[in-house]
Amino acid sequence: MNDADLNTAILCAHDLRDPARLIGLYTNAADRHEHTGDIDAACFFLTQAYVFALEAGDDRTDVLHQRLVNHRRA
């Protein structure tokens, strides 16, 4: 999936109000930016994933939070 497809998928997941999918997609976007060294962008996407995880009571909340802590963003 390229960046444009990822963006489209995120918008679609928002339209469908699908928090589980949003968490996964935002995490994927964060992973991509982290891999390229763009930590600011990665943390933006991690924050979005984390907020949706908190709202949904998702099991990924702790992992996402720890990633933000590791980047000194929590």
Side-chain angles (χ1 to χ4, degrees), residues 29-30 33-48 68 71-73:
H33 286 282
E34 196 171 49
H35 179 72
T36 64
D38 188 350
I39 301 306
D40 287 338
C43 288
F44 168 81
F45 288 112
L46 282 172
T47 299
Q48 302 311 305
L68 288 165
H71 290 299
R72 299 174 192 242
R73 304 295 174 96

Side-chain angles (χ1 to χ4, degrees), residues 16-73:
L16 295 172
R17 293 179 171 88
D18 184 347
R21 182 98 171 116
L22 285 165
I23 296 162
L25 290 167
Y26 278 123
T27 301
N28 182 301
D31 293 345
R32 288 170 180 240
H33 286 282
E34 196 171 49
H35 179 72
T36 64
D38 188 350
I39 301 306
D40 287 338
C43 288
F44 168 81
F45 288 112
L46 282 172
T47 299
Q48 302 311 305
Y50 179 58
V51 168
F52 281 104
L54 284 171
E55 289 177 349
D58 191 276
D59 291 341
R60 294 170 278 189
T61 302
D62 291 339
V63 171
L64 293 165
H65 181 255
Q66 187 58 54
R67 287 179 68 182
L68 288 165
V69 168
N70 291 347
H71 290 299
R72 299 174 192 242
R73 304 295 174 96

